[in-house]
Amino acid sequence: MALRREILAWCDETLQVGLFKDYAPNGLQVEGKEEIAKIATSVTASKAAIDFAVEQGADLLLVHHGMFWKSEPAAITGWKKQRIAALLAHGINLIAYHLPLDAHPEFGNNIQLAQRIGWIHEAAFGDQNLLNIGTLPESQGSLKTLSARIAAETGRAPTAIGRQDKPLRRIAWCTGGAQGYFQAAIDAGADVYVTGEISEAQYHLARETDTAFISAGHHA
């Protein structure tokens, strides 16, 4: 058993939330019980994730993507009302950490992805140090072999744009919807850039610069 404020204090300090300008509030988004015995986790605070937390008897749902974003209407109606109503009815706290969880040098999505797939991390750079650069092992030295390794680890075949047989050495990556950082990765000298999503513009940029682009799935 732990107190909600103790969990929040540890998360806020560990993830250094004060260092980030984010698109959503980090920390407590919906208040529930003060005493926490069981925690459920999910990428997104979807209704399915909330229902799962209810089924498990969780007192707290910890997510990466919360429910309140700058670009969304503020009114609590429709799907947002349904999610919040379910949380309140069962006293479940909703806690979300977005960019601080992507960027953390030990627990973060970026560094954990590199460790799991075997990339050699060298440095974080760019906007709020969300971009990362490093080197690939020889076994992942082409778009074909790198894509296969990502698919094996994530359970999802990625979208890979570029020459399949081009030798790859330098890799840049940023988890999530970070396709807009592709030019920064090119400028940093990357042979390939890996992120979660791809837009139309990145397809042409990959072709015209001969820099490979891999969209591995935002939730993968």
Side-chain angles (χ1 to χ4, degrees):
M1 188 77 71
L3 297 178
R4 178 184 61 236
R5 62 176 179 270
E6 296 171 342
I7 294 172
L8 281 168
W10 186 89
C11 290
D12 288 349
E13 181 180 359
T14 301
L15 298 176
Q16 299 180 298
V17 297
L19 299 181
F20 295 87
K21 295 180 180 179
D22 213 333
Y23 316 103
N26 288 295
L28 183 64
Q29 292 194 347
V30 177
E31 184 178 301
K33 301 171 186 175
E34 175 61 27
E35 293 186 337
I36 310 299
K38 181 180 285 189
I39 296 174
T41 64
S42 177
V43 174
T44 297
S46 63
K47 186 59 164 55
I50 294 169
D51 290 344
F52 174 79
V54 171
E55 292 169 2
Q56 298 301 312
D59 307 303
L60 187 154
L61 176 59
L62 176 64
V63 301
H64 182 43
H65 300 146
M67 278 195 291
F68 302 99
W69 301 88
K70 291 180 180 179
S71 60
E72 291 180 351
I76 307 300
T77 60
W79 60 267
K80 189 174 290 186
K81 174 190 173 183
Q82 293 175 13
R83 294 182 189 182
I84 294 174
L87 290 166
L88 294 176
H90 295 89
I92 299 174
N93 296 276
L94 176 64
I95 295 179
Y97 290 96
H98 186 229
L99 296 184
L101 187 57
D102 283 312
H104 192 272
E106 181 180 359
F107 305 124
N109 296 324
N110 280 315
I111 196 66
Q112 287 292 321
L113 180 67
Q115 290 176 0
R116 286 172 179 267
I117 302 184
W119 304 337
I120 301 169
H121 182 269
E122 295 178 1
F125 70 103
D127 181 27
Q128 303 189 80
N129 277 336
L130 291 169
L131 278 157
N132 296 264
I133 195 161
T135 56
L136 290 165
E138 291 185 6
S139 61
Q140 300 175 39
S142 70
L143 191 57
K144 180 179 180 180
T145 57
L146 175 58
S147 298
R149 183 66 186 88
I150 291 173
E153 183 61 39
T154 64
R156 179 188 186 278
T159 297
I161 308 301
R163 291 189 288 126
Q164 293 292 312
D165 59 348
K166 178 190 174 183
L168 304 178
R169 180 60 175 166
R170 301 288 290 166
I171 180 172
W173 70 96
C174 183
T175 55
Q179 61 267 50
Y181 292 150
F182 189 24
Q183 184 63 59
I186 295 170
D187 294 342
D191 300 312
V192 58
Y193 178 58
V194 178
T195 188
E197 299 178 0
I198 184 170
S199 299
E200 187 263 353
Q202 284 75 53
Y203 172 86
H204 296 289
L205 192 58
R207 294 293 190 187
E208 293 169 21
T209 63
D210 197 26
T211 304
F213 187 103
I214 293 180
S215 168
H218 200 136
H219 285 65

